[in-house]
Amino acid sequence: IESHKLDDFVTSIMEVDVQNSSESVDSYEDDKYSIMNSTIEGCNVVAFIQRTTILDFYARGFVRLVCFTYISSDKTKVYRLLNRLKTYFREVTNQIRSSNQSQFLMDLSSALESRKAEE
């Protein structure tokens, strides 16, 4: 598969507007899973996708969407690994959220201190 075609597929995964779809991530704690199928140059490509949010002081609404994806040309393999992928992605998400929460609180504290200094 030509790399630019695969790049287009990856971009289409990342461009999903979860705020305006049935896959919306409703809160900071919600993770949404989906499977996306495509054909690129006659090759079937399957993606298992987890969308989640992390706290981000600089993002609109203080949350940023994060997407983890496993891509394979073997649909059977993706379905066979589905529970394991969910578990691994959830573990990664929990680790990221743990350190992310500390960073968010530091950013928030710093902003509050700067605001107080301005007054």
Side-chain angles (χ1 to χ4, degrees):
I1 299 175
E2 291 182 37
S3 65
H4 72 278
K5 297 287 185 182
L6 191 54
D7 290 346
D8 291 345
F9 179 65
V10 170
T11 301
S12 68
I13 290 169
M14 294 170 34
E15 286 180 337
V16 170
D17 184 1
V18 295
Q19 292 181 349
N20 295 318
S21 76
S22 61
E23 293 182 41
S24 70
V25 178
D26 299 322
S27 73
Y28 172 67
E29 295 297 326
D30 286 349
D31 293 337
K32 299 295 179 186
Y33 301 94
S34 60
I35 294 179
M36 185 177 197
N37 297 290
S38 187
T39 303
I40 302 172
E41 296 179 352
C43 239
N44 290 327
V45 180
V46 182
F48 169 72
I49 306 159
Q50 175 189 335
R51 292 182 179 86
T52 191
T53 55
I54 59 171
L55 296 171
D56 184 344
F57 181 76
Y58 303 100
R60 184 180 59 190
F62 299 118
V63 292
R64 183 167 308 282
L65 183 66
V66 178
C67 177
F68 299 103
T69 307
Y70 177 84
I71 300 173
S72 176
S73 60
D74 186 347
K75 184 177 185 176
T76 305
K77 180 180 178 182
V78 171
Y79 282 98
R80 189 179 70 243
L81 295 174
L82 198 58
N83 287 331
R84 196 177 318 171
L85 290 169
K86 283 183 180 181
T87 300
Y88 290 155
F89 284 8
R90 195 174 307 117
E91 287 173 5
V92 169
T93 300
N94 289 340
Q95 290 176 8
I96 289 172
R97 280 195 178 142
S98 177
S99 63
N100 167 255
Q101 189 170 22
S102 299
Q103 182 64 47
F104 178 77
L105 292 173
M106 286 190 308
D107 290 343
L108 182 60
S109 178
S110 177
L112 289 172
E113 287 176 23
S114 294
R115 180 80 184 221
K116 286 180 184 176
E118 291 175 2
E119 291 177 353

